[in-house]
Amino acid sequence: MPFLFSNPLAEWLLPAITLPILFHLFFRLRRQVREFPSLMFFLRIDPRLSAKRKIHEWLILFLRCLFIALLILALARPLLGLKGSNENVARLVLIDNSGSMSASTAGGVSKLTLAQRATKELLDASHPGDAMAVQVMIPDPTATLPRGFDTTPALLRDAMGKLTPTDAAASVPKAIRAALATLDTAKTPQRELHIITDLQRENWSRGELGSDAQSPNCRIIIHRIESAPLAAGSVSIELQQIPARAIPAGRVTPVRVKLQNNGPVAAHVRLNSTDDSGKNFSQNFDVAAKAAVPATLTFSFPSAGFHWAQIWVEGDLASMASHASLGFFCTDVRKALFVGSKEDFGALPYAISPGGNSDLSGIDAVFAGPDQLVARLADKPLAVILTWDNFPQDGATSDALQDYVRQGGTLILVPAPNAGVTVSRSAPAWLDANAGALQTTKEPEPLVLLRETDPLWQDLRGADGLPKLGLLRAFQYRLVKTGDDWQALVTSSNGATLLARRTWEHGQVYASGLAFTPKWSSFPLRASFVVLVQNAVFGNQAEQIPVQNLIAGDEFHFDVPDANAVLKSLAGSALDWQGMPHDFAGLPRAGVYEISQRDHAGWVATSANADEADPTYLPLAPVPLLRNLPHDVVPLGHEDDLTRVDVARAGSSSLYRWLLLAALLVLLAETWLANVRSSDLGRKLSLKPAASPEKSAQKQPGEVTRV
């Protein structure tokens, strides 16, 4: 009959049983007796009283020691079971391979290494006839484990040696459900689920297991790995803004990140980046404990096509969450077509092409007359900019402009800086917008930005997520009159619409009541004016690029689900894979990958999950996520600890509740005996002197004893 402790650390408390004895022998309160003549009547006390008092004291002392012993044994959670030679167990080990498992244990090895060693010890300790299986919480295509129980321990050991930490966060409910489903296929009625994890709080607090999850005839044991104390910074990289649209070659593109220090002390780190052209960047940052610091990196690529970049942090302990990969898709130099002369558009041409060329923005500003508009539309310019006075009046040109917008083009309408008080030409009916007469304000009117989450402001938001353009004022403007399908983006303080947008199938139209010169408003005087104009020019092209930027472990979908795929690693994690999409396990590590299917090519860039840098773990106690499933949580400090709880067989049971009940009964008995002793001594030591047997026998009824 095996008798083992599932929480052996409590055994170290057993010496506390001697505390009542030490207090009784060495720390008792000694009373000093001072005699006076009247005590002579109390010196003749029955000697049997002293002996009885000693028996009471030693019995109470024994009960106190027994209470402490039972309480310590209950904390050790002993297990008692009958283990027969023909009783086999189906045992499944679920290993946490999330990013936090790459951190060190108190013994100096990584937590995943300890989990591998403990699993191998459990494989070696299995009995003939036992069924063994091993699963990981995060599927890893670089280390595929044999499925089910139809495998040999030797194959499991070989596969275990290939496991390495991932950069992803585990979906614990999903992993436990998969493990229980595998255990349901076992042929033996007795089953064990061993979960080896560090109980990282973020992972084990995410999702719900559900009340329908059942584990009949299954004992669940969570082996909690203790992490080494963290005495330095734990800095993660959180991507705040990455490009989700095509970028013209040569355009400088900002990428905003946040450096989050999850450690208990300030961190001095270096932020590094590199790209596929070999350009490198480094900058030092000081990040206070439990604080964050924003940072902005810029990238530009000289040629069209796919490009990648990598970002990582040096000088901290969170290597599992301090690196990211990014993918960019660049086009050839794009053209923005201005219909009219350069003087008709104020600062707009310079905002689109700073320096007069495409070197900084990847966009060339070209000018053409109204009679050339139809021919130029065949080149599919990135945007077409017209003045309200120059809008084409002939039907063919207007229809061609309408088709251009519907197919994904961007049309921008602005007043001419030197236009008169009226607009000589009206826009066609399909546009459903017009600009009114020129209005000059007596006092500069503040401008109000609407729709704070609109993509137009995506590169202009501050840390609070709100657009930051400074204080903007209008000096003169034309009121924009639009239909119901338009969305106002900028208004004056009195509610006049000055900038509106309408989505037209795949394209969009901007209607402005402001000419972009300092005479009309303070817009062109802001540094953010360039960013704002280029955001409008690019429009919404997020769906047109074959690049996905994901977090490691996120669900990934192939473009062609029923076609053979070839995956090739370009940077970061090494992974070369080929097969059908339904057999692909996922991308659990940061890296850049090229995916080919038939004649289609796409790219994926994955970054480490920043949550894995949080050094907060659940205590050695029942886990709230498994509140519907009976389970034990035991410490794992060495690989041998895992085999010490291998006692689950038919008829096995925990003595935890019985020991607590026994401790309560002992405490009640000790309290009762202590109270009996006190009342007895109070009666025995009353102020009435004890009479001698001789005198008691001779005393007559009604006789009073004299003192």
Side-chain angles (χ1 to χ4, degrees), residues 306 566-570 577 592-596 601-604:
F306 175 75
V566 177
L567 189 145
K568 179 182 179 182
S569 176
L570 302 180
W577 179 87
V592 183
Y593 310 93
E594 182 181 54
I595 301 173
S596 301
W603 295 268
V604 178

Side-chain angles (χ1 to χ4, degrees), residues 155 304 350 385 424 576 589 634 659 661:
L155 290 177
Y350 304 99
I385 300 95
S424 57
D576 292 326
R589 295 179 179 83
V634 299
L659 288 171
L661 179 61

Side-chain angles (χ1 to χ4, degrees), residues 438-620:
L438 180 66
Q439 298 184 22
T440 303
T441 63
K442 296 180 180 180
E443 296 291 338
E445 289 189 21
L447 299 183
V448 180
L449 307 183
L450 305 180
R451 304 178 60 84
E452 296 168 347
T453 61
D454 194 88
L456 183 66
W457 319 116
Q458 65 181 352
D459 299 321
L460 301 169
R461 297 189 184 101
D464 56 358
L466 302 178
K468 303 297 182 183
L469 285 167
L471 183 60
L472 300 175
R473 297 182 182 277
F475 313 119
Q476 61 182 23
Y477 57 82
R478 283 192 169 135
L479 178 63
V480 177
K481 302 175 182 179
T482 61
D484 296 336
D485 293 338
W486 288 78
Q487 298 171 340
L489 299 174
V490 179
T491 66
S492 66
S493 58
N494 61 11
T497 300
L498 301 183
L499 180 64
R501 183 189 59 225
R502 180 190 182 187
T503 300
W504 187 274
E505 294 188 7
H506 300 292
Q508 54 191 9
V509 181
Y510 285 93
S512 174
L514 293 171
F516 294 104
T517 67
K519 183 179 178 181
W520 286 62
S521 73
S522 59
F523 244 135
L525 302 178
R526 301 295 180 185
S528 53
F529 173 67
V530 174
V531 178
L532 177 68
V533 171
Q534 294 190 13
N535 282 348
V537 167
F538 274 104
N540 183 17
Q541 301 183 26
E543 298 83 10
Q544 300 179 14
I545 62 173
V547 179
Q548 299 183 58
N549 287 290
L550 305 175
I551 301 298
D554 283 355
E555 189 173 0
F556 168 71
H557 299 283
F558 287 85
D559 293 333
V560 188
D562 58 348
N564 187 70
V566 177
L567 189 145
K568 179 182 179 182
S569 176
L570 302 180
S573 174
L575 174 61
D576 292 326
W577 179 87
Q578 182 175 355
M580 294 300 293
H582 58 76
D583 294 327
F584 186 61
L587 297 169
R589 295 179 179 83
V592 183
Y593 310 93
E594 182 181 54
I595 301 173
S596 301
Q597 287 185 285
R598 296 177 181 169
D599 297 331
H600 177 78
W603 295 268
V604 178
T606 57
S607 302
N609 194 308
D611 291 341
E612 294 303 297
D614 187 356
T616 308
Y617 308 93
L618 296 181
L620 196 67

Side-chain angles (χ1 to χ4, degrees), residues 248 332-340 345 348-353 357-358 361-368 373 376-377 379-386 404 410 412 533-534 536-538:
D332 291 324
V333 173
R334 305 297 300 272
K335 298 183 183 298
L337 178 61
F338 289 85
V339 181
F345 301 98
L348 274 180
Y350 304 99
I352 292 176
S353 299
N357 53 47
S358 61
S361 65
I363 310 172
D364 264 337
V366 296
F367 298 86
L373 178 57
R376 292 299 186 104
L377 289 178
D379 298 333
K380 296 183 178 180
L382 183 63
V384 174
I385 300 95
L386 287 164
Y404 162 78
T410 298
I412 301 176
V533 171
Q534 294 190 13
V537 167
F538 274 104

